[in-house]
Amino acid sequence: MFVLPPPPRYSTPTAYNVPVGVGQVAPMIETNNVLSNPSGPEYQFLVGEGLYVLKEDLHLATPPPHPSEAPVVNPNPLATTPQPATAGTKVSLISLDVRPLPPAFYRASSHPGGVEQSIQEHPDEGKSSTTETRESSSDAGATRNVNSSDLPFASSNAPAFGEGNALLAPTNTKDANKKRKPKNNMTKSNSSFISRVIVHETLHKKLQERSTDGMFAFANINRSFQWLDLASSSKADYLTKILFTKAHCLCHDVNRLTKSLAHIDVIMGFSTGEIIWWEPISQRYTRLNKNLKGIINGTPVSEIRWIPGSEHLFMAAHMDGSLVVYDKEKEDAIFAAEEDIPQQPPLSNGEVKNGANGTVNHSSHIQVNKSVHSKNQKTNPVAVWKLSNHRINAFAFSPDHRHLAVVSEDGSLRIIDYLKEQYVAFFGGVYCRLSDDNSRLLDLFYSYYGGLSCVCWSPDGKYVLTGGQDDLLSIWCPSESALIARCQGHHSWVTSVAFDPWRCDDKNYRFGSVGEDCRVCLWDFSVGMLHRPKAVSGSPRWIRSL
């Protein structure tokens, strides 16, 4: 879930106009979160199931640059020169209450009799002809932020990542229900990496008195990270706000397997390549891949996610094209590619080799610099895979926990069997076909243009949805190694995509997208439309500019 940060707010117009008038950098002042209650037709969203109304609008404060940061005067927005990653905004919602999913949550079968019907837009559809009105609020007590890896379809028999390697087996503790905490106290830290930690003065009281079915929000905005309680009457007041010195938090993830009333595991990835494991209730943290340039990988972390089913392993995408698996409880060590890794089958000309000194054709093979089955598992990293020389922008685990979809700046989509550390499919943009050894390509076509920036799986794992710099959404079918549809509706880069599990079955799919054009688009995709010539499958039914 991505949100655009609000513009800086100034106490008086003079505070902004005077420095700008003399050619200086506009002063950045630290602001507070702002909660408003907008009204009017521009805050209404009419769709098939009814009318959505924006009830509350929470603007998260953008932190000012640290005084030690060099100011960037008049940056050119059209410049093509590579710039270091210094900004990122991402929001995660979690509820500590465990409740059964509603009946409409991803129905695994369609209407009996083989007759295709449209998705029921509302439980009372057909009973009343009146327009339903639904309110959208920051208090999302009745809604959930659902990842594809959390869906009911995910309850498969997939083996655990690294299964068979006894060195990765979790250590037994005396109390199995007691979670291990990070080492350092964040509120008393003297680390230069952390600039300031602001904890709500009545944090423990608020946690004890809050309702368990309310939603927590975690948000990273540039060099700050906030923890919010959306069930509180004062949603704008953060429970904890962390300001970092020069590093900008680009991404984060919450472990939904270990969350409880007494423990929440949060990981954050930074522009310096460093990673923080933070437990917000105890306010303790541990830094991984630390030091000036990162002891394991010194490039920024563009995406970070907990590995499904694991309490302590997570995967980070670094901007040098590498995927690195870390263990939150292990110490770091200087990393060098291992030389005794089994080689994948070479191409016909013999140019592909795997290992520390080999050259790899990344369009056909994964360069495994350290395997999850390595015997050297005393320290981080657990595994290292080099996928490309281009930046990895995003990745997503399949609902069955067996595959990984990865999108890169070169416009490619890779489908990886991460349990076996090998390719299943590689989409350079349109189509490819794999040989029998599941690691080589026979055909390769390229995308329309530009990089891909976001990716997600359908709830049943049949389709992969991507968005990118070509302003398009692309629907892929990995089982057929084919591009199913391209969807036009955005006027700028697409930044995030997601399926709506409440409105998906095995014939019809609802998904949404947001882009840098400040548009939210909802799309309906029907499998039956694929066989109709000239059918406009995936055209947006509802678009609202925000």
Side-chain angles (χ1 to χ4, degrees):
M1 178 178 177
F2 289 85
V3 294
L4 295 175
R9 304 174 185 83
Y10 301 93
S11 54
T12 62
T14 306
Y16 176 85
N17 295 330
V18 172
V20 174
V22 296
Q24 298 179 359
V25 180
M28 294 289 290
I29 61 174
E30 187 165 346
T31 60
N32 295 321
N33 300 333
V34 177
L35 181 66
S36 60
N37 302 97
S39 61
E42 64 271 24
Y43 300 105
Q44 299 177 358
F45 198 74
L46 180 62
V47 295
E49 63 266 27
L51 181 67
Y52 288 91
V53 179
L54 180 62
K55 179 183 176 183
E56 295 177 325
D57 191 8
L58 179 60
H59 285 266
L60 301 178
T62 304
H66 191 267
S68 62
E69 292 186 65
V72 180
V73 182
N74 296 329
N76 180 7
L78 302 179
T80 58
T81 54
Q83 298 293 330
T86 58
T89 303
K90 188 175 182 180
V91 174
S92 295
L93 304 178
I94 67 162
S95 174
L96 302 182
D97 184 33
V98 179
R99 293 181 294 180
L101 296 172
F105 192 93
Y106 177 57
R107 291 161 294 169
S109 60
S110 290
H111 189 269
V115 179
E116 294 181 14
Q117 294 190 353
S118 61
I119 301 174
Q120 184 180 6
E121 301 289 4
H122 190 268
D124 298 328
E125 184 176 307
K127 299 180 181 179
S128 173
S129 59
T130 58
T131 301
E132 297 289 341
T133 300
R134 300 187 176 192
E135 293 183 339
S136 175
S137 167
S138 298
D139 185 5
T143 61
R144 303 296 176 112
N145 182 36
V146 181
N147 292 335
S148 61
S149 58
D150 297 326
L151 300 177
F153 183 83
S155 57
S156 65
N157 295 323
F161 180 70
E163 185 174 285
N165 190 345
L167 298 175
L168 291 179
T171 56
N172 296 325
T173 57
K174 295 181 180 179
D175 186 357
N177 296 323
K178 186 176 182 180
K179 306 297 182 183
R180 183 173 296 181
K181 303 287 185 181
K183 296 180 179 179
N184 307 310
N185 189 321
M186 179 165 283
T187 57
K188 299 179 181 179
S189 174
N190 57 2
S191 170
S192 60
F193 187 81
I194 299 174
S195 174
R196 189 153 51 107
V197 180
I198 309 171
V199 181
H200 197 284
E201 56 184 4
T202 60
L203 173 62
H204 294 290
K205 181 180 179 181
K206 291 175 73 70
L207 293 178
Q208 292 174 357
E209 296 177 351
R210 72 182 299 273
S211 173
T212 58
D213 61 351
M215 300 290 287
F216 280 133
F218 295 91
N220 58 269
I221 308 106
N222 295 2
R223 70 180 190 93
S224 73
F225 191 88
Q226 295 191 34
W227 176 27
L228 302 160
D229 183 7
L230 299 185
S232 171
S233 57
S234 55
K235 299 179 178 65
D237 296 338
Y238 44 78
L239 300 178
T240 301
K241 182 176 182 179
I242 309 170
L243 292 170
F244 303 95
T245 306
K246 290 185 178 181
H248 286 225
C249 188
L250 304 182
C251 52
H252 73 273
D253 194 27
V254 182
N255 195 329
R256 287 164 172 78
L257 183 65
T258 62
K259 65 183 176 68
S260 66
L261 295 174
H263 186 93
I264 302 175
D265 284 318
V266 182
I267 45 174
M268 314 174 202
F270 290 85
S271 58
T272 56
E274 296 178 86
I275 295 170
I276 280 185
W277 165 36
W278 180 48
E279 203 290 297
I281 297 177
S282 64
Q283 294 294 330
R284 304 191 71 83
Y285 81 103
T286 294
R287 281 172 64 193
L288 303 172
N289 192 34
K290 57 186 178 182
N291 294 333
L292 184 61
K293 291 294 184 180
I295 193 171
I296 296 172
N297 190 310
T299 60
V301 179
S302 57
E303 182 74 286
I304 193 166
R305 290 185 184 273
W306 292 97
I307 291 181
S310 177
E311 295 188 1
H312 55 96
L313 296 180
F314 61 89
M315 183 179 295
H318 289 270
M319 290 192 180
D320 65 344
S322 297
L323 287 176
V324 183
V325 178
Y326 296 87
D327 188 320
K328 69 179 184 181
E329 298 176 0
K330 292 183 178 179
E331 298 291 337
D332 296 336
I334 298 176
F335 173 70
E338 297 182 351
E339 299 182 1
D340 57 347
I341 301 174
Q343 295 184 3
Q344 295 190 18
L347 295 178
S348 57
N349 59 8
E351 71 172 346
V352 176
K353 296 180 181 179
N354 237 3
N357 301 319
T359 59
V360 174
N361 182 349
H362 293 295
S363 65
S364 59
H365 285 69
I366 298 176
Q367 180 179 341
V368 182
N369 291 329
K370 182 178 181 180
S371 171
V372 67
H373 302 291
S374 169
K375 301 303 180 183
N376 179 20
Q377 295 293 354
K378 293 183 179 180
T379 57
N380 281 320
V382 173
V384 179
W385 310 324
K386 178 76 170 179
L387 303 187
S388 171
N389 291 323
H390 297 271
R391 183 175 75 189
I392 296 174
N393 288 327
F395 63 85
F397 293 97
S398 64
D400 63 358
H401 298 174
R402 291 179 179 272
H403 299 105
L404 186 69
V406 185
V407 293
S408 303
E409 191 70 13
D410 60 357
S412 65
L413 164 65
R414 293 170 169 85
I415 306 296
I416 300 171
D417 187 336
Y418 72 98
L419 300 177
K420 298 180 180 179
E421 301 179 313
Q422 66 183 16
Y423 282 153
V424 173
F426 176 95
F427 295 99
V430 179
Y431 171 78
C432 70
R433 182 162 53 93
L434 293 179
S435 62
D436 293 337
D437 62 18
N438 255 7
S439 61
R440 288 172 49 193
L441 291 175
L442 296 180
D443 298 295
L444 176 63
F445 294 83
Y446 290 92
S447 60
Y448 187 58
Y449 73 86
L452 295 176
S453 55
C454 50
V455 62
C456 71
W457 292 80
S458 63
D460 56 7
K462 292 181 179 178
Y463 300 100
V464 175
L465 181 65
T466 62
Q469 299 172 2
D470 53 8
D471 308 348
L472 301 173
L473 281 81
S474 300
I475 305 173
W476 311 85
C477 181
S479 62
E480 299 179 5
S481 297
L483 171 67
I484 300 300
R486 289 199 191 277
C487 311
Q488 293 180 323
H490 284 282
H491 297 161
S492 187
W493 293 1
V494 181
T495 56
S496 184
V497 291
F499 280 88
D500 182 354
W502 282 272
R503 305 194 179 279
C504 289
D505 55 30
D506 58 350
K507 296 292 184 182
N508 304 279
Y509 300 85
R510 164 76 65 81
F511 57 89
S513 60
V514 296
E516 293 190 1
D517 55 357
C518 297
R519 281 188 168 191
V520 176
C521 298
L522 294 182
W523 314 73
D524 278 345
F525 166 63
S526 174
V527 176
M529 298 176 69
L530 296 177
H531 303 288
R532 302 175 187 174
K534 299 183 180 179
V536 186
S537 61
S539 60
R541 291 176 56 185
W542 312 287
I543 299 177
R544 167 71 69 184
S545 297
L546 300 180

